[in-house]
Amino acid sequence: MMERPVTDTHKGRTTKDGIRIHEAADFAGMHAAGRLTATILDKIAEHVTVGQTTGQIDALIEAMVEEAGATSATIGYKGYKHASCISVNHVVCHGIPGAPIPKLKSVSRDLEKRRDSDALEDGDIVNIDVTVVLDGWFGDSSRMYVAGRPAKRAERLIDITHEALMKGIEAVKPGNTFGDIGHAIQSFVEGHRMSVVTDFCGHGLGRVFHAPPNVLHYGKPGTKSVLEPGMFFTIEPMVNLGRAETKTLADDWTAVTRDKSLSAQFEHSIGVTENGYEIFTLSPAGKFHPTY
Ligand code: MF3
Ligand code: CO
Ligand code: CO
């Protein structure tokens, strides 16, 4: 049997599972979009400080997207109005910039309490998630920041979550499966007695924001679709210090941990290559992980 020439494996097509196989030339567009997202996440770092508001941070991000000649993928997405999601402390994801920050310790079990404002306080841990569209390509990434001095257990949570993302990425190569990625993340996180959120997942992307497959952050080795060169997707594990369960607040966006435990998340957009992966959203300044 003849082997298919390597250059052919990137021909544009869709797998039986509905996953787009991009052409080799498409990697350049994803690198450009991803680099812009990462540059914005680099530049916003100095603004994540005690007293700064999430509304101001989002306004800066919106201006940076515009300045770069790109557009925000999230403004207008399902009625969402902001250029970022900013998720503080026990907010798991989809925190709304400018909205009063949900309080970590609620006295009432039924009513989610809110702070008076969207200003960051000493010790807050903050996920900022930005998705841009540049020349039609989507760059989606999020990382953790800290305002002031976080608690030791919060630093540990951030470290483990970042390492979990990287373990997932290291499982990316042709012939491995999406179940291998999920398993790498879940086994690492649970080995550190933390929990992986199962209510949200990563996703295929490219010329669209969300495409097949759902990239689960848990799973069994050898299960789910087989990875092929030319697949583009995000890996974006959310990890909780307590239990995995989440709930969505009355604003219909903000997802929080049910037990009010701290939650962290990191997200990269990546592409599968002939022998592994390329990360599109690597930090040009080497600032992907916060310093404490
Ligand atoms: N960027 C998020 C993701 O990782 C999606 C945000 S959707 C929004 O998929 F509407 F909340 F902005
Ligand atoms: Co995403
Ligand atoms: Co995102």
Side-chain angles (χ1 to χ4, degrees):
M1 274 229 301
M2 292 276 288
E3 270 199 61
R4 275 162 62 84
V6 163
T7 45
D8 260 1
T9 59
H10 280 173
K11 273 272 160 55
R13 63 186 173 87
T14 303
T15 69
K16 61 174 168 35
D17 304 325
I19 305 171
R20 182 85 198 151
I21 304 299
H22 298 84
E23 299 180 19
D26 296 339
F27 279 67
M30 288 300 284
H31 271 293
R35 194 178 312 115
L36 173 58
T37 301
T39 301
I40 291 169
L41 291 176
D42 282 349
K43 286 193 196 157
I44 208 65
E46 65 177 286
H47 300 281
V48 183
T49 53
V50 174
Q52 178 68 284
T53 67
T54 59
Q56 285 166 326
I57 291 170
D58 183 70
L60 290 167
I61 291 169
E62 188 176 346
M64 288 187 231
V65 173
E66 197 171 310
E67 171 71 26
T71 56
S72 163
T74 53
I75 296 175
Y77 176 79
K78 295 185 180 171
Y80 196 75
K81 295 182 169 63
H82 312 279
S84 63
C85 295
I86 304 184
S87 304
V88 180
N89 294 335
H90 74 305
V91 178
V92 172
C93 62
H94 300 165
I96 302 173
I101 294 169
K103 262 194 185 172
L104 186 55
K105 286 201 179 87
S106 171
V107 280
S108 161
R109 285 190 170 274
D110 325 296
L111 253 179
E112 188 74 21
K113 291 286 192 299
R114 297 249 179 180
R115 290 181 186 171
D116 297 335
S117 81
D118 61 334
L120 296 175
E121 295 178 4
D122 187 31
D124 282 346
I125 65 167
V126 184
N127 176 274
I128 302 182
D129 190 338
V130 172
T131 311
V132 305
V133 192
L134 184 66
D135 294 332
W137 296 100
F138 285 68
D140 184 6
S141 182
S142 84
R143 54 176 101 148
M144 296 302 295
Y145 304 83
V146 296
R149 189 70 220 245
K152 257 266 139 346
R153 68 198 161 86
E155 294 181 357
R156 248 193 97 234
L157 170 68
I158 291 172
D159 294 348
I160 294 298
T161 307
H162 178 259
E163 213 170 324
L165 168 61
M166 299 318 290
K167 300 261 184 222
I169 291 175
E170 281 158 23
V172 174
K173 63 173 179 200
N176 276 7
T177 69
F178 282 94
D180 293 332
I181 298 173
H183 177 74
I185 295 168
Q186 181 182 22
S187 56
F188 178 74
V189 168
E190 292 179 353
H192 287 86
R193 303 188 166 283
M194 298 179 192
S195 54
V196 173
V197 170
T198 57
D199 295 339
F200 300 93
C201 58
H203 48 93
L205 85 174
R207 289 188 193 275
V208 292
F209 196 172
H210 294 114
N214 286 334
V215 180
L216 306 182
H217 304 115
Y218 58 93
K220 293 191 176 39
T223 62
K224 306 281 179 181
S225 306
V226 177
L227 301 176
E228 295 182 44
M231 289 180 177
F232 297 162
F233 53 87
T234 73
I235 305 179
E236 47 183 298
M238 284 139 275
V239 175
N240 301 345
L241 270 184
R243 296 178 57 86
E245 286 75 20
T246 72
K247 66 170 181 181
T248 303
L249 300 185
D251 60 24
D252 268 345
W253 279 106
T254 314
V256 299
T257 54
R258 274 195 181 271
D259 63 4
K260 308 288 200 298
S261 67
L262 289 176
S263 186
Q265 180 179 26
F266 284 88
E267 174 178 27
H268 269 314
S269 295
I270 66 174
V272 184
T273 63
E274 304 300 328
N275 41 28
Y277 58 84
E278 284 174 13
I279 302 178
F280 299 129
T281 45
L282 276 179
S283 164
K287 292 206 284 193
F288 195 67
H289 192 290
T291 50
Y292 319 117

